[in-house]
Amino acid sequence: MSVKLRTKQLADGRRSYYLDIYHKGKRQYKFLNLYHEKDNTGGANAKTRQLAEKIRADFQLRVSAIAHGGSAIEIDGADRNFIDYFDSFRATKSPGTQGTYGTTLLHLKRFGGESIRFAEIDEAWVKRWRAYLLASLGQNTAFLHFTVVKSAFKQAVRERIIQTNPCEHVERIKQQETIRGYLTMEEVEKLAVTECAHPVIKRAFLFACFTGLRLSDVQALVWGRIRDGRIAFRQQKTGGVEYFKLHDVALAMMGEPGAPEAQVFALPHESVINKTLKKWGTSAGIEKHMHFHLSRHTFATTLLTYDVDIATVSKMLGHRNLATTLIYAKVVNTKIDRAVDSLPSITVGGAGPSHA
């Protein structure tokens, strides 16, 4: 059992690299589409040779793992195009998530072109990808796309296309805390009495303000999940099943019940939703940036404003990590406000404050 790197002389003077693979009494040849050029400008041949050696070593490990009873690793995995694989991976996600993954795909193509073979991807490649993201995008956007690609590599390991995740030992991009926008109850009331071009969008948004459901969850909600004023649903993002009582406003926004498999809210495309929300918000005199996820932030901050404990809020939002919920607590810290308000007043003599 062996994998040797060899070259074949071509008519144009170049030499083509290929693998001579001998396994279980059979020999096969695999050309790598890598060439030793006649013109070695910039030391290109040394770099090509290094890449070819890496591919050979990778194949040797795969063949050895199989020969010694290890889990079968896809022999041709190194030659697969990661761009095509990522596109297929993206297609397995929910409609809302596919948009984000589509943007990641565009950045991957800008970074590495239409074809990035798994064999080319190592820690050095990941470090260059990380640097590209940080140089091209904001910190949190870079964090998002880095995490998405890391999850794709993790899936490729599960599918035994590659042996290890090349992101594993590369410093991750840290997410910065952001000030999350939210609506006050007064602003929600303004929206409630203002007409909207798409009534179903208005009902869905107000419903989410009193349930905290993500847009993907609202889109997937069917009448069969509603029983006795309670909702049971599987979160599209986390996969967790949640059960809780619906507020009277949320129940009113749902309208008349339909068939168990019918959607509660037959919403248009997300681009139409956000354009409609923007116009609706302007009509209601809301100066904040209107987008559907604002309803989820509103639900979280309203609960905290009314002294619902952080653990309960975390459960209602379907968060896996309490630290995620604590971000909302920093936005609306009513206890600190009350502590400041509880300080006693004093009488200050003189003409009042002076201004320099």
Side-chain angles (χ1 to χ4, degrees):
M1 164 261 298
S2 66
V3 180
K4 295 182 179 179
L5 180 65
R6 303 189 187 280
T7 61
K8 179 181 179 180
Q9 188 68 46
L10 302 179
D12 62 5
R14 297 182 301 167
R15 294 203 305 273
S16 177
Y17 284 102
Y18 69 95
L19 298 181
D20 180 351
I21 306 169
Y22 185 78
H23 180 52
K24 292 185 177 179
K26 295 182 180 181
R27 173 168 267 110
Q28 60 177 308
Y29 304 106
K30 189 169 191 62
F31 284 87
L32 305 180
N33 294 320
L34 297 174
Y35 304 94
H36 186 282
E37 304 287 349
K38 290 189 295 182
D39 180 11
N40 187 30
T41 304
N45 285 338
K47 294 177 182 177
T48 302
R49 176 79 187 190
Q50 185 178 23
L51 176 58
E53 286 286 3
K54 182 182 182 304
I55 296 172
R56 185 211 64 78
D58 183 63
F59 267 74
Q60 182 72 63
L61 286 172
R62 292 166 189 270
V63 173
S64 298
I66 296 170
H68 290 88
S71 301
I73 301 295
E74 186 179 319
I75 288 294
D76 290 329
D79 267 353
R80 287 185 63 172
N81 184 3
F82 176 64
I83 293 294
D84 292 339
Y85 175 81
F86 185 85
D87 200 19
S88 300
F89 179 62
R90 178 180 69 89
T92 66
K93 303 301 177 180
S94 65
T97 304
Q98 283 186 28
T100 300
Y101 279 55
T103 305
T104 305
L105 183 59
L106 288 175
H107 281 292
L108 279 169
K109 290 179 179 180
R110 288 172 188 166
F111 171 70
E114 295 286 335
S115 179
I116 304 173
R117 294 161 58 240
F118 273 101
E120 301 172 42
I121 300 172
D122 54 14
E123 285 187 20
W125 183 95
V126 174
K127 288 177 181 177
R128 293 195 301 274
W129 164 244
R130 181 182 185 277
Y132 161 83
L133 291 174
L134 288 172
S136 308
L137 305 167
Q139 181 90 7
N140 285 349
T141 306
F143 161 82
L144 174 64
H145 295 309
F146 186 85
T147 303
V148 164
V149 167
K150 185 175 181 178
S151 68
F153 287 136
K154 187 175 181 180
Q155 181 61 29
V157 172
R158 290 196 195 101
E159 295 176 18
R160 305 196 185 285
I161 296 172
I162 55 178
Q163 290 178 309
T164 58
N165 189 331
C167 294
E168 186 123 7
H169 300 294
V170 176
E171 182 183 2
R172 67 184 182 88
I173 296 175
K174 295 179 180 178
Q175 187 175 20
Q176 289 181 331
E177 283 191 12
T178 57
I179 299 174
R180 301 197 174 192
Y182 67 96
L183 298 172
T184 64
M185 272 298 108
E186 290 76 17
E187 289 170 326
V188 173
E189 288 176 358
K190 285 183 180 180
L191 289 170
V193 297
T194 303
E195 288 189 9
C196 178
H198 292 271
V200 67
I201 295 176
K202 174 179 179 176
R203 293 191 297 107
F205 184 84
L206 293 176
F207 173 83
C209 284
F210 285 86
T211 60
L213 267 64
R214 298 179 180 87
L215 176 58
S216 58
D217 293 318
V218 174
Q219 291 169 323
L221 184 63
V222 295
W223 284 104
R225 297 290 185 184
I226 311 298
R227 295 180 184 176
D228 300 323
R230 292 181 175 273
I231 183 173
F233 71 97
R234 182 177 297 278
Q235 294 214 28
Q236 293 291 310
K237 185 173 181 179
T238 66
V241 178
E242 305 294 338
Y243 305 87
F244 60 82
K245 181 181 178 181
L246 290 169
H247 190 277
D248 289 344
V249 173
L251 288 169
M253 291 302 102
M254 292 167 61
E256 291 298 318
E261 68 280 2
Q263 285 181 295
V264 176
F265 301 98
L267 291 165
H269 190 271
E270 188 172 352
S271 61
V272 177
I273 293 173
N274 286 326
K275 286 179 182 178
T276 302
L277 290 176
K278 184 177 179 180
K279 292 179 180 179
W280 180 37
T282 300
S283 298
I286 307 297
E287 297 181 356
K288 296 171 181 176
H289 174 54
M290 289 286 292
H291 55 91
F292 201 92
H293 211 65
L294 191 65
S295 61
R296 182 169 169 83
H297 298 332
T298 299
F299 177 70
T301 53
T302 301
L303 289 175
L304 291 167
T305 299
Y306 284 87
D307 283 338
V308 177
D309 67 273
I310 194 74
T312 300
V313 174
S314 185
K315 181 172 177 57
M316 294 179 76
L317 291 172
H319 287 163
R320 290 176 175 173
N321 192 332
L322 190 62
T324 306
T325 318
L326 286 170
I327 294 173
Y328 292 104
K330 292 180 180 179
V331 174
V332 183
N333 201 327
T334 55
K335 290 185 178 180
I336 291 178
D337 292 344
R338 288 173 188 167
V340 172
D341 291 340
S342 69
L343 292 172
S345 298
I346 60 173
T347 302
V348 179
S354 61
H355 300 278

